[in-house]
Amino acid sequence: MAVYQTTVSAPVNIACIKYWGKRDTKLILPTNSSLSVTLDQDHLRSTTTSRADPSFDKDRLWLNGKEESIEAGGRLSTCIVELKRLRAAVEAQNSAAPKLSTFPVYIASRNNFPTAAGLASSASGFAALVASLAALYELPATPSQLSVIARQGSGSACRSLFGGFVAWEMGSAPDGSDSLAIEVAPREHWPDIHALICVVSDDKKGTSSTSGMQRTVETSALLQHRIAQVVPARMDAIKDAILRRDFPAFARITMQDSNQFHAVALDTDPPIFYLNDVSRAIIAVITEYNRAAGAIKAAYTYDAGPNAVIYTPKENVKEIVELLLRYFPQSQPFPDPFGLDVNNEGKLPAGFNEKVAKAFPVASVKGFIHTRVGDGPRKLDASEALLGSDGLPTFLA
Amino acid sequence: MAVYQTTVSAPVNIACIKYWGKRDTKLILPTNSSLSVTLDQDHLRSTTTSRADPSFDKDRLWLNGKEESIEAGGRLSTCIVELKRLRAAVEAQNSAAPKLSTFPVYIASRNNFPTAAGLASSASGFAALVASLAALYELPATPSQLSVIARQGSGSACRSLFGGFVAWEMGSAPDGSDSLAIEVAPREHWPDIHALICVVSDDKKGTSSTSGMQRTVETSALLQHRIAQVVPARMDAIKDAILRRDFPAFARITMQDSNQFHAVALDTDPPIFYLNDVSRAIIAVITEYNRAAGAIKAAYTYDAGPNAVIYTPKENVKEIVELLLRYFPQSQPFPDPFGLDVNNEGKLPAGFNEKVAKAFPVASVKGFIHTRVGDGPRKLDASEALLGSDGLPTFLA
């Protein structure tokens, strides 16, 4: 008897132009377009195995070894139902196609980065879910078409269906059919872009992005101006910077938009703060790094939490890591997948004004992750499957 | 021989609608109107003695016992020259008036609060300077007319020429003649408004407001929207709230505008941060205090630094102090000029969710100052003069 099973991995993406606000909370239609860099799955990924089997009792899903309920009308269910509908259309056109759309599915998904890293896993997770079912169902759908489905799982997931530099065009159709991801440039266009994630300790649980962004939509007096005036111009400008591989322009817009996202969060009533004193100090250090260099050599960006992601051309990574280690000492040597010879004592670049921040205690930054721009979802070997021959997860928490 | 000398004190003011941005940096014309509460001079004040004497060699000024140079064309000089000009007009109308406008002046000024308290002293300082020379010169000028002069010393100084609730109307005349302070309501209209200043420790020197606000004018994509759309509506609404003594409305606008000021500071390139983790925690505590009470009983506001000022009706002060002492313990008992019987161990109000912030170490908040809405500049007795019989300061640093 045939086994219908596929395993896929999908990447994390970190936005340069931030998504913050929905115009339709059910369809997850955003109030503005956004743009991100896809990070390399060699380092950070969600892996998902999907299996369709007529003997299964119902659709089931395990996330990191723990079963999650699939509620009717919920985000998981919406994605699965939509993909089954597309499969049914395939079957309607080709009577030889097995009737997978009628079989329940078991889905196991896992992130290779700990929840404690504070990286949003919903983007890579929903992208892997959608890509895995689309592969299982052999859907004749483009990544952009699949992104419309992933978007309904988690907005920013739509951007994880492409590698490289990805725009989420907000669209205007009421049904959301034109609110989708497009590739601005593949990673091969600008493979030199590296990312350094600084995992920042935080005492308090921040406001969730889902509830936070709607509070901003309802109460910020500045958000509408950002949506109508600022973001459209920045989207054009950053796409142009990417196409020209103009790092200073790319970096400047990235930093400005991170700051503006946090500004509208602060302009919310009551205000939302995601940046803490460590986040602020990283901003001060990168700002001074660029000033001392006389050129914009690095860009910081922050999502809905205190972690920094620093984009920089590969040649600057060593210098930046050593600079950050000076302010944010670590108990362990810097773990580098690229084999950089890092001075773990830290080091200041020439002309750098040390006084822009104080040195923080060990573990104020819990760790660093060095990665780079990456590719889109990958279909993996059966050997990497997360479901065993019995159709159940090989790993349970 | 006659001695021409007067001593005046002037109050501190703390804005509810923030001044941030100049449209004319020389005349100090703001990009938006602002509104403040004048604090009680019984607690916080600048005192200035001015003396005109034909035997003096030149104009001189001592601030907190240290001589400051009066540079031609500088802010101090602009105020003194302008006041002498008005005095000359008086003399031109009345030939019996002594020719004080032709005498050099000695000016001694002192703040009764330490610089380390982090309270801007330029507002009360320039207001005291202008009020003191105006009294010395017996100028037939209204506080609003004098505010035009004080504004050229330090923008927000214009608001310290009135007690109570004071608007600085931005005006539109190119010469600044209609950019002046007006009294929205005297303190007697709403004497119940108290203020609790939380002096917050900070590791780093923040960006000066003079340079910071111009960077915001030049680089923030959100400021123009704030100026054109948000502030005019808020000015109307908060004046109305004051006239109706509607504390919840007053408080909500105050908090929103503090947040928006810090939002446009963050939207500046590079970003400006004045709030630190302690400031953020005070915001979280006041937000939860209002939520738990089911009513807005207190408002926080922050100027260009980490210190909080909390406005609240007098009846809530004890409860708020005890709440803050729970999170920000002090090594000394709470010093209260109003004789509140404060529990120095701290105490949570009913229904308050303790988890909204962590307890900070002693001295994270360096101290509290409890004051209230106050009156405008006061003419003081000769016994309080800061210049001795020889015309020189009685105190030198």
PDB file of all heavy atoms in Angstrom, chain A residues 320-354:
ATOM      1  N   ILE A 320      32.146  43.220  14.022  1.00  0.00           N
ATOM      2  CA  ILE A 320      30.934  43.529  14.786  1.00  0.00           C
ATOM      3  C   ILE A 320      30.764  42.579  15.963  1.00  0.00           C
ATOM      4  O   ILE A 320      30.409  42.989  17.071  1.00  0.00           O
ATOM      5  CB  ILE A 320      29.706  43.501  13.853  1.00  0.00           C
ATOM      6  CG1 ILE A 320      29.793  44.665  12.866  1.00  0.00           C
ATOM      7  CG2 ILE A 320      28.403  43.574  14.650  1.00  0.00           C
ATOM      8  CD1 ILE A 320      28.781  44.607  11.739  1.00  0.00           C
ATOM      9  N   VAL A 321      31.058  41.303  15.737  1.00  0.00           N
ATOM     10  CA  VAL A 321      30.967  40.341  16.839  1.00  0.00           C
ATOM     11  C   VAL A 321      31.930  40.747  17.953  1.00  0.00           C
ATOM     12  O   VAL A 321      31.564  40.777  19.142  1.00  0.00           O
ATOM     13  CB  VAL A 321      31.283  38.910  16.346  1.00  0.00           C
ATOM     14  CG1 VAL A 321      31.491  37.969  17.533  1.00  0.00           C
ATOM     15  CG2 VAL A 321      30.170  38.407  15.439  1.00  0.00           C
ATOM     16  N   GLU A 322      33.140  41.075  17.581  1.00  0.00           N
ATOM     17  CA  GLU A 322      34.128  41.452  18.607  1.00  0.00           C
ATOM     18  C   GLU A 322      33.712  42.724  19.334  1.00  0.00           C
ATOM     19  O   GLU A 322      33.878  42.853  20.548  1.00  0.00           O
ATOM     20  CB  GLU A 322      35.522  41.598  17.965  1.00  0.00           C
ATOM     21  CG  GLU A 322      36.059  40.226  17.534  1.00  0.00           C
ATOM     22  CD  GLU A 322      37.387  40.280  16.803  1.00  0.00           C
ATOM     23  OE1 GLU A 322      37.785  41.384  16.345  1.00  0.00           O
ATOM     24  OE2 GLU A 322      38.026  39.215  16.679  1.00  0.00           O
ATOM     25  N   LEU A 323      33.134  43.646  18.597  1.00  0.00           N
ATOM     26  CA  LEU A 323      32.625  44.870  19.219  1.00  0.00           C
ATOM     27  C   LEU A 323      31.507  44.553  20.215  1.00  0.00           C
ATOM     28  O   LEU A 323      31.504  45.036  21.359  1.00  0.00           O
ATOM     29  CB  LEU A 323      32.113  45.817  18.117  1.00  0.00           C
ATOM     30  CG  LEU A 323      31.353  47.060  18.539  1.00  0.00           C
ATOM     31  CD1 LEU A 323      32.200  47.927  19.468  1.00  0.00           C
ATOM     32  CD2 LEU A 323      30.939  47.865  17.299  1.00  0.00           C
ATOM     33  N   LEU A 324      30.574  43.722  19.809  1.00  0.00           N
ATOM     34  CA  LEU A 324      29.460  43.401  20.696  1.00  0.00           C
ATOM     35  C   LEU A 324      29.924  42.604  21.915  1.00  0.00           C
ATOM     36  O   LEU A 324      29.415  42.796  23.032  1.00  0.00           O
ATOM     37  CB  LEU A 324      28.380  42.635  19.925  1.00  0.00           C
ATOM     38  CG  LEU A 324      27.632  43.489  18.892  1.00  0.00           C
ATOM     39  CD1 LEU A 324      26.742  42.615  18.018  1.00  0.00           C
ATOM     40  CD2 LEU A 324      26.789  44.581  19.567  1.00  0.00           C
ATOM     41  N   LEU A 325      30.931  41.734  21.704  1.00  0.00           N
ATOM     42  CA  LEU A 325      31.430  40.951  22.840  1.00  0.00           C
ATOM     43  C   LEU A 325      32.064  41.856  23.896  1.00  0.00           C
ATOM     44  O   LEU A 325      32.095  41.527  25.080  1.00  0.00           O
ATOM     45  CB  LEU A 325      32.444  39.902  22.364  1.00  0.00           C
ATOM     46  CG  LEU A 325      31.840  38.710  21.612  1.00  0.00           C
ATOM     47  CD1 LEU A 325      32.952  37.853  21.004  1.00  0.00           C
ATOM     48  CD2 LEU A 325      30.970  37.862  22.540  1.00  0.00           C
ATOM     49  N   ARG A 326      32.544  43.009  23.474  1.00  0.00           N
ATOM     50  CA  ARG A 326      33.116  43.970  24.418  1.00  0.00           C
ATOM     51  C   ARG A 326      32.064  44.512  25.373  1.00  0.00           C
ATOM     52  O   ARG A 326      32.327  44.764  26.550  1.00  0.00           O
ATOM     53  CB  ARG A 326      33.746  45.114  23.608  1.00  0.00           C
ATOM     54  CG  ARG A 326      34.396  46.186  24.412  1.00  0.00           C
ATOM     55  CD  ARG A 326      35.723  45.687  24.999  1.00  0.00           C
ATOM     56  NE  ARG A 326      36.398  46.784  25.647  1.00  0.00           N
ATOM     57  CZ  ARG A 326      37.506  47.353  25.206  1.00  0.00           C
ATOM     58  NH1 ARG A 326      38.096  46.884  24.137  1.00  0.00           N
ATOM     59  NH2 ARG A 326      38.051  48.366  25.856  1.00  0.00           N
ATOM     60  N   TYR A 327      30.857  44.699  24.869  1.00  0.00           N
ATOM     61  CA  TYR A 327      29.765  45.251  25.690  1.00  0.00           C
ATOM     62  C   TYR A 327      28.886  44.174  26.312  1.00  0.00           C
ATOM     63  O   TYR A 327      28.276  44.403  27.346  1.00  0.00           O
ATOM     64  CB  TYR A 327      28.893  46.184  24.841  1.00  0.00           C
ATOM     65  CG  TYR A 327      29.576  47.478  24.509  1.00  0.00           C
ATOM     66  CD1 TYR A 327      30.295  47.627  23.327  1.00  0.00           C
ATOM     67  CD2 TYR A 327      29.540  48.539  25.408  1.00  0.00           C
ATOM     68  CE1 TYR A 327      30.946  48.810  23.035  1.00  0.00           C
ATOM     69  CE2 TYR A 327      30.189  49.727  25.130  1.00  0.00           C
ATOM     70  CZ  TYR A 327      30.897  49.858  23.935  1.00  0.00           C
ATOM     71  OH  TYR A 327      31.537  51.041  23.668  1.00  0.00           O
ATOM     72  N   PHE A 328      28.821  43.037  25.645  1.00  0.00           N
ATOM     73  CA  PHE A 328      27.914  41.969  26.086  1.00  0.00           C
ATOM     74  C   PHE A 328      28.702  40.669  26.200  1.00  0.00           C
ATOM     75  O   PHE A 328      28.590  39.775  25.367  1.00  0.00           O
ATOM     76  CB  PHE A 328      26.743  41.836  25.086  1.00  0.00           C
ATOM     77  CG  PHE A 328      26.073  43.152  24.815  1.00  0.00           C
ATOM     78  CD1 PHE A 328      26.329  43.859  23.642  1.00  0.00           C
ATOM     79  CD2 PHE A 328      25.217  43.718  25.758  1.00  0.00           C
ATOM     80  CE1 PHE A 328      25.741  45.092  23.402  1.00  0.00           C
ATOM     81  CE2 PHE A 328      24.623  44.958  25.525  1.00  0.00           C
ATOM     82  CZ  PHE A 328      24.887  45.648  24.348  1.00  0.00           C
ATOM     83  N   PRO A 329      29.496  40.561  27.255  1.00  0.00           N
ATOM     84  CA  PRO A 329      30.379  39.402  27.380  1.00  0.00           C
ATOM     85  C   PRO A 329      29.584  38.106  27.523  1.00  0.00           C
ATOM     86  O   PRO A 329      28.461  38.094  28.020  1.00  0.00           O
ATOM     87  CB  PRO A 329      31.174  39.714  28.649  1.00  0.00           C
ATOM     88  CG  PRO A 329      30.373  40.739  29.396  1.00  0.00           C
ATOM     89  CD  PRO A 329      29.628  41.518  28.363  1.00  0.00           C
ATOM     90  N   GLN A 330      30.208  37.031  27.058  1.00  0.00           N
ATOM     91  CA  GLN A 330      29.572  35.720  27.045  1.00  0.00           C
ATOM     92  C   GLN A 330      30.372  34.743  27.907  1.00  0.00           C
ATOM     93  O   GLN A 330      31.582  34.877  28.035  1.00  0.00           O
ATOM     94  CB  GLN A 330      29.531  35.189  25.600  1.00  0.00           C
ATOM     95  CG  GLN A 330      28.787  36.075  24.636  1.00  0.00           C
ATOM     96  CD  GLN A 330      27.292  36.091  24.920  1.00  0.00           C
ATOM     97  OE1 GLN A 330      26.660  35.048  24.971  1.00  0.00           O
ATOM     98  NE2 GLN A 330      26.731  37.273  25.139  1.00  0.00           N
ATOM     99  N   SER A 331      29.684  33.763  28.458  1.00  0.00           N
ATOM    100  CA  SER A 331      30.396  32.753  29.244  1.00  0.00           C
ATOM    101  C   SER A 331      30.994  31.674  28.336  1.00  0.00           C
ATOM    102  O   SER A 331      31.882  30.938  28.734  1.00  0.00           O
ATOM    103  CB  SER A 331      29.458  32.126  30.274  1.00  0.00           C
ATOM    104  OG  SER A 331      28.345  31.572  29.614  1.00  0.00           O
ATOM    105  N   GLN A 332      30.479  31.581  27.108  1.00  0.00           N
ATOM    106  CA  GLN A 332      30.959  30.572  26.153  1.00  0.00           C
ATOM    107  C   GLN A 332      31.616  31.275  24.961  1.00  0.00           C
ATOM    108  O   GLN A 332      31.201  32.372  24.611  1.00  0.00           O
ATOM    109  CB  GLN A 332      29.773  29.748  25.623  1.00  0.00           C
ATOM    110  CG  GLN A 332      28.985  29.036  26.701  1.00  0.00           C
ATOM    111  CD  GLN A 332      29.760  27.899  27.322  1.00  0.00           C
ATOM    112  OE1 GLN A 332      30.545  27.240  26.644  1.00  0.00           O
ATOM    113  NE2 GLN A 332      29.594  27.700  28.627  1.00  0.00           N
ATOM    114  N   PRO A 333      32.573  30.618  24.303  1.00  0.00           N
ATOM    115  CA  PRO A 333      33.149  31.214  23.086  1.00  0.00           C
ATOM    116  C   PRO A 333      32.083  31.390  22.011  1.00  0.00           C
ATOM    117  O   PRO A 333      31.093  30.645  21.982  1.00  0.00           O
ATOM    118  CB  PRO A 333      34.196  30.186  22.636  1.00  0.00           C
ATOM    119  CG  PRO A 333      34.430  29.312  23.818  1.00  0.00           C
ATOM    120  CD  PRO A 333      33.192  29.343  24.654  1.00  0.00           C
ATOM    121  N   PHE A 334      32.284  32.349  21.152  1.00  0.00           N
ATOM    122  CA  PHE A 334      31.343  32.628  20.071  1.00  0.00           C
ATOM    123  C   PHE A 334      31.272  31.416  19.135  1.00  0.00           C
ATOM    124  O   PHE A 334      32.284  30.983  18.598  1.00  0.00           O
ATOM    125  CB  PHE A 334      31.795  33.866  19.304  1.00  0.00           C
ATOM    126  CG  PHE A 334      30.873  34.242  18.182  1.00  0.00           C
ATOM    127  CD1 PHE A 334      29.654  34.858  18.467  1.00  0.00           C
ATOM    128  CD2 PHE A 334      31.193  33.986  16.859  1.00  0.00           C
ATOM    129  CE1 PHE A 334      28.790  35.207  17.441  1.00  0.00           C
ATOM    130  CE2 PHE A 334      30.336  34.343  15.838  1.00  0.00           C
ATOM    131  CZ  PHE A 334      29.131  34.950  16.129  1.00  0.00           C
ATOM    132  N   PRO A 335      30.070  30.886  18.931  1.00  0.00           N
ATOM    133  CA  PRO A 335      29.926  29.670  18.126  1.00  0.00           C
ATOM    134  C   PRO A 335      29.730  30.053  16.671  1.00  0.00           C
ATOM    135  O   PRO A 335      28.675  30.555  16.300  1.00  0.00           O
ATOM    136  CB  PRO A 335      28.645  29.059  18.685  1.00  0.00           C
ATOM    137  CG  PRO A 335      27.833  30.249  19.139  1.00  0.00           C
ATOM    138  CD  PRO A 335      28.775  31.395  19.420  1.00  0.00           C
ATOM    139  N   ASP A 336      30.718  29.849  15.846  1.00  0.00           N
ATOM    140  CA  ASP A 336      30.570  30.357  14.486  1.00  0.00           C
ATOM    141  C   ASP A 336      30.548  29.275  13.422  1.00  0.00           C
ATOM    142  O   ASP A 336      31.546  28.582  13.209  1.00  0.00           O
ATOM    143  CB  ASP A 336      31.663  31.364  14.153  1.00  0.00           C
ATOM    144  CG  ASP A 336      31.241  32.137  12.924  1.00  0.00           C
ATOM    145  OD1 ASP A 336      30.296  32.929  13.019  1.00  0.00           O
ATOM    146  OD2 ASP A 336      31.813  31.873  11.845  1.00  0.00           O
ATOM    147  N   PRO A 337      29.417  29.185  12.719  1.00  0.00           N
ATOM    148  CA  PRO A 337      29.322  28.166  11.673  1.00  0.00           C
ATOM    149  C   PRO A 337      30.160  28.506  10.448  1.00  0.00           C
ATOM    150  O   PRO A 337      30.355  27.653   9.585  1.00  0.00           O
ATOM    151  CB  PRO A 337      27.831  28.164  11.318  1.00  0.00           C
ATOM    152  CG  PRO A 337      27.342  29.519  11.678  1.00  0.00           C
ATOM    153  CD  PRO A 337      28.179  29.984  12.836  1.00  0.00           C
ATOM    154  N   PHE A 338      30.656  29.745  10.379  1.00  0.00           N
ATOM    155  CA  PHE A 338      31.451  30.143   9.219  1.00  0.00           C
ATOM    156  C   PHE A 338      32.948  30.101   9.513  1.00  0.00           C
ATOM    157  O   PHE A 338      33.760  30.521   8.697  1.00  0.00           O
ATOM    158  CB  PHE A 338      31.045  31.543   8.740  1.00  0.00           C
ATOM    159  CG  PHE A 338      29.615  31.619   8.279  1.00  0.00           C
ATOM    160  CD1 PHE A 338      28.590  31.903   9.172  1.00  0.00           C
ATOM    161  CD2 PHE A 338      29.287  31.386   6.954  1.00  0.00           C
ATOM    162  CE1 PHE A 338      27.270  31.961   8.748  1.00  0.00           C
ATOM    163  CE2 PHE A 338      27.969  31.439   6.522  1.00  0.00           C
ATOM    164  CZ  PHE A 338      26.955  31.728   7.429  1.00  0.00           C
ATOM    165  N   GLY A 339      33.297  29.664  10.711  1.00  0.00           N
ATOM    166  CA  GLY A 339      34.701  29.522  11.053  1.00  0.00           C
ATOM    167  C   GLY A 339      35.456  30.833  11.249  1.00  0.00           C
ATOM    168  O   GLY A 339      36.664  30.909  11.055  1.00  0.00           O
ATOM    169  N   LEU A 340      34.735  31.894  11.650  1.00  0.00           N
ATOM    170  CA  LEU A 340      35.421  33.165  11.931  1.00  0.00           C
ATOM    171  C   LEU A 340      36.349  32.995  13.122  1.00  0.00           C
ATOM    172  O   LEU A 340      35.987  32.359  14.111  1.00  0.00           O
ATOM    173  CB  LEU A 340      34.406  34.256  12.266  1.00  0.00           C
ATOM    174  CG  LEU A 340      33.538  34.810  11.152  1.00  0.00           C
ATOM    175  CD1 LEU A 340      32.706  35.954  11.706  1.00  0.00           C
ATOM    176  CD2 LEU A 340      34.400  35.286   9.989  1.00  0.00           C
ATOM    177  N   ASP A 341      37.511  33.626  13.031  1.00  0.00           N
ATOM    178  CA  ASP A 341      38.470  33.579  14.139  1.00  0.00           C
ATOM    179  C   ASP A 341      38.218  34.780  15.057  1.00  0.00           C
ATOM    180  O   ASP A 341      38.857  35.820  14.930  1.00  0.00           O
ATOM    181  CB  ASP A 341      39.887  33.614  13.561  1.00  0.00           C
ATOM    182  CG  ASP A 341      40.926  33.618  14.655  1.00  0.00           C
ATOM    183  OD1 ASP A 341      40.632  33.124  15.770  1.00  0.00           O
ATOM    184  OD2 ASP A 341      42.029  34.135  14.396  1.00  0.00           O
ATOM    185  N   VAL A 342      37.260  34.604  15.966  1.00  0.00           N
ATOM    186  CA  VAL A 342      36.790  35.725  16.784  1.00  0.00           C
ATOM    187  C   VAL A 342      37.599  35.844  18.069  1.00  0.00           C
ATOM    188  O   VAL A 342      37.855  34.848  18.742  1.00  0.00           O
ATOM    189  CB  VAL A 342      35.297  35.524  17.115  1.00  0.00           C
ATOM    190  CG1 VAL A 342      34.859  36.426  18.246  1.00  0.00           C
ATOM    191  CG2 VAL A 342      34.453  35.755  15.867  1.00  0.00           C
ATOM    192  N   ASN A 343      37.984  37.071  18.404  1.00  0.00           N
ATOM    193  CA  ASN A 343      38.613  37.355  19.690  1.00  0.00           C
ATOM    194  C   ASN A 343      37.510  37.469  20.741  1.00  0.00           C
ATOM    195  O   ASN A 343      36.758  38.440  20.756  1.00  0.00           O
ATOM    196  CB  ASN A 343      39.395  38.668  19.591  1.00  0.00           C
ATOM    197  CG  ASN A 343      39.982  39.087  20.924  1.00  0.00           C
ATOM    198  OD1 ASN A 343      39.638  38.535  21.976  1.00  0.00           O
ATOM    199  ND2 ASN A 343      40.886  40.052  20.884  1.00  0.00           N
ATOM    200  N   ASN A 344      37.409  36.463  21.595  1.00  0.00           N
ATOM    201  CA  ASN A 344      36.297  36.423  22.544  1.00  0.00           C
ATOM    202  C   ASN A 344      36.401  37.462  23.662  1.00  0.00           C
ATOM    203  O   ASN A 344      35.474  37.620  24.449  1.00  0.00           O
ATOM    204  CB  ASN A 344      36.119  35.010  23.105  1.00  0.00           C
ATOM    205  CG  ASN A 344      35.413  34.110  22.103  1.00  0.00           C
ATOM    206  OD1 ASN A 344      34.212  34.231  21.900  1.00  0.00           O
ATOM    207  ND2 ASN A 344      36.174  33.241  21.443  1.00  0.00           N
ATOM    208  N   GLU A 345      37.533  38.139  23.753  1.00  0.00           N
ATOM    209  CA  GLU A 345      37.662  39.222  24.742  1.00  0.00           C
ATOM    210  C   GLU A 345      36.968  40.485  24.253  1.00  0.00           C
ATOM    211  O   GLU A 345      36.768  41.422  25.018  1.00  0.00           O
ATOM    212  CB  GLU A 345      39.144  39.554  24.985  1.00  0.00           C
ATOM    213  CG  GLU A 345      39.949  38.397  25.532  1.00  0.00           C
ATOM    214  CD  GLU A 345      39.363  37.883  26.833  1.00  0.00           C
ATOM    215  OE1 GLU A 345      39.185  38.697  27.760  1.00  0.00           O
ATOM    216  OE2 GLU A 345      39.048  36.673  26.905  1.00  0.00           O
ATOM    217  N   GLY A 346      36.652  40.528  22.965  1.00  0.00           N
ATOM    218  CA  GLY A 346      36.046  41.737  22.413  1.00  0.00           C
ATOM    219  C   GLY A 346      37.115  42.718  21.983  1.00  0.00           C
ATOM    220  O   GLY A 346      38.267  42.651  22.421  1.00  0.00           O
ATOM    221  N   LYS A 347      36.725  43.629  21.115  1.00  0.00           N
ATOM    222  CA  LYS A 347      37.694  44.574  20.547  1.00  0.00           C
ATOM    223  C   LYS A 347      36.940  45.752  19.947  1.00  0.00           C
ATOM    224  O   LYS A 347      35.917  45.565  19.281  1.00  0.00           O
ATOM    225  CB  LYS A 347      38.483  43.833  19.444  1.00  0.00           C
ATOM    226  CG  LYS A 347      39.739  44.532  18.986  1.00  0.00           C
ATOM    227  CD  LYS A 347      40.459  43.663  17.953  1.00  0.00           C
ATOM    228  CE  LYS A 347      41.383  44.517  17.114  1.00  0.00           C
ATOM    229  NZ  LYS A 347      41.827  43.812  15.905  1.00  0.00           N
ATOM    230  N   LEU A 348      37.451  46.952  20.172  1.00  0.00           N
ATOM    231  CA  LEU A 348      36.807  48.141  19.609  1.00  0.00           C
ATOM    232  C   LEU A 348      37.452  48.506  18.276  1.00  0.00           C
ATOM    233  O   LEU A 348      38.670  48.494  18.162  1.00  0.00           O
ATOM    234  CB  LEU A 348      36.959  49.334  20.565  1.00  0.00           C
ATOM    235  CG  LEU A 348      36.319  49.206  21.945  1.00  0.00           C
ATOM    236  CD1 LEU A 348      36.596  50.467  22.761  1.00  0.00           C
ATOM    237  CD2 LEU A 348      34.821  48.974  21.827  1.00  0.00           C
ATOM    238  N   PRO A 349      36.653  48.871  17.289  1.00  0.00           N
ATOM    239  CA  PRO A 349      37.239  49.348  16.024  1.00  0.00           C
ATOM    240  C   PRO A 349      37.932  50.694  16.238  1.00  0.00           C
ATOM    241  O   PRO A 349      37.662  51.402  17.219  1.00  0.00           O
ATOM    242  CB  PRO A 349      36.019  49.526  15.115  1.00  0.00           C
ATOM    243  CG  PRO A 349      34.886  48.828  15.781  1.00  0.00           C
ATOM    244  CD  PRO A 349      35.188  48.847  17.250  1.00  0.00           C
ATOM    245  N   ALA A 350      38.778  51.067  15.305  1.00  0.00           N
ATOM    246  CA  ALA A 350      39.475  52.354  15.376  1.00  0.00           C
ATOM    247  C   ALA A 350      38.484  53.505  15.416  1.00  0.00           C
ATOM    248  O   ALA A 350      37.494  53.493  14.675  1.00  0.00           O
ATOM    249  CB  ALA A 350      40.394  52.499  14.158  1.00  0.00           C
ATOM    250  N   GLY A 351      38.749  54.458  16.295  1.00  0.00           N
ATOM    251  CA  GLY A 351      37.928  55.669  16.334  1.00  0.00           C
ATOM    252  C   GLY A 351      36.582  55.510  17.009  1.00  0.00           C
ATOM    253  O   GLY A 351      35.774  56.444  17.025  1.00  0.00           O
ATOM    254  N   PHE A 352      36.334  54.344  17.578  1.00  0.00           N
ATOM    255  CA  PHE A 352      35.035  54.073  18.201  1.00  0.00           C
ATOM    256  C   PHE A 352      34.986  54.703  19.587  1.00  0.00           C
ATOM    257  O   PHE A 352      35.890  54.515  20.396  1.00  0.00           O
ATOM    258  CB  PHE A 352      34.823  52.556  18.299  1.00  0.00           C
ATOM    259  CG  PHE A 352      33.444  52.147  18.726  1.00  0.00           C
ATOM    260  CD1 PHE A 352      32.478  51.820  17.781  1.00  0.00           C
ATOM    261  CD2 PHE A 352      33.089  52.098  20.073  1.00  0.00           C
ATOM    262  CE1 PHE A 352      31.203  51.433  18.162  1.00  0.00           C
ATOM    263  CE2 PHE A 352      31.817  51.726  20.472  1.00  0.00           C
ATOM    264  CZ  PHE A 352      30.867  51.395  19.514  1.00  0.00           C
ATOM    265  N   ASN A 353      33.933  55.466  19.871  1.00  0.00           N
ATOM    266  CA  ASN A 353      33.767  56.091  21.193  1.00  0.00           C
ATOM    267  C   ASN A 353      33.147  55.087  22.158  1.00  0.00           C
ATOM    268  O   ASN A 353      31.946  54.842  22.149  1.00  0.00           O
ATOM    269  CB  ASN A 353      32.881  57.327  21.071  1.00  0.00           C
ATOM    270  CG  ASN A 353      32.545  57.916  22.436  1.00  0.00           C
ATOM    271  OD1 ASN A 353      33.122  57.529  23.468  1.00  0.00           O
ATOM    272  ND2 ASN A 353      31.605  58.845  22.445  1.00  0.00           N
ATOM    273  N   GLU A 354      33.999  54.552  23.010  1.00  0.00           N
ATOM    274  CA  GLU A 354      33.595  53.491  23.936  1.00  0.00           C
ATOM    275  C   GLU A 354      32.435  53.897  24.842  1.00  0.00           C
ATOM    276  O   GLU A 354      31.673  53.059  25.324  1.00  0.00           O
ATOM    277  CB  GLU A 354      34.822  53.118  24.786  1.00  0.00           C
ATOM    278  CG  GLU A 354      34.649  51.885  25.609  1.00  0.00           C
ATOM    279  CD  GLU A 354      35.962  51.413  26.223  1.00  0.00           C
ATOM    280  OE1 GLU A 354      37.006  52.068  25.986  1.00  0.00           O
ATOM    281  OE2 GLU A 354      35.946  50.389  26.920  1.00  0.00           O
TER     282      GLU A 354
END
